[in-house]
Amino acid sequence: MGNWKTKYKVGDLSDDQKLEMICKKCSRLVYITKATICTARGREQLYLDEIENRARCKAQSCRGRMRMAMYRLDEMSSFVGGMA
């Protein structure tokens, strides 16, 4: 059993899907796409948790570990239950 990061590979992402990478040390936020991950050869076969474990913050003198989160493409829907 695992979470969504252990189930999906980079190759499973759509071309327009974004992922949020947040530094645990300095809170720097970066959005990445499938194209930016696949700049190095063979990364399309890695699972998303492997990408998260390898990611380090590129801010000057930080090098902190990054946390991955899914960025939603669709609009947020409002709750309308119980309204007449």
Side-chain angles (χ1 to χ4, degrees):
M1 278 181 73
N3 59 13
W4 61 274
K5 297 173 195 173
T6 59
K7 293 179 184 177
Y8 295 110
K9 291 186 177 184
V10 174
D12 296 335
L13 296 174
S14 63
D15 292 332
D16 59 345
Q17 177 66 47
K18 291 181 182 178
L19 296 172
E20 291 180 350
M21 299 296 286
I22 304 164
C23 179
K24 294 179 180 180
K25 187 175 178 184
C26 71
S27 300
R28 179 175 182 248
L29 173 67
V30 178
Y31 292 99
I32 61 172
T33 61
K34 180 180 177 180
T36 56
I37 296 172
C38 293
T39 54
R41 190 175 200 124
R43 283 196 183 162
E44 62 272 355
Q45 297 301 320
L46 294 176
Y47 286 95
L48 294 178
D49 66 331
E50 294 174 314
I51 297 294
E52 181 183 43
N53 289 336
R54 294 178 182 189
R56 295 288 180 261
C57 182
K58 297 206 183 332
Q60 188 173 359
S61 72
C62 180
R63 299 284 298 155
R65 294 179 58 103
M66 303 290 278
R67 179 176 51 90
M68 183 183 292
M70 187 71 73
Y71 180 76
R72 291 182 57 126
L73 290 176
D74 51 350
E75 303 241 350
M76 298 289 279
S77 62
S78 60
F79 177 73
V80 293
M83 301 283 243

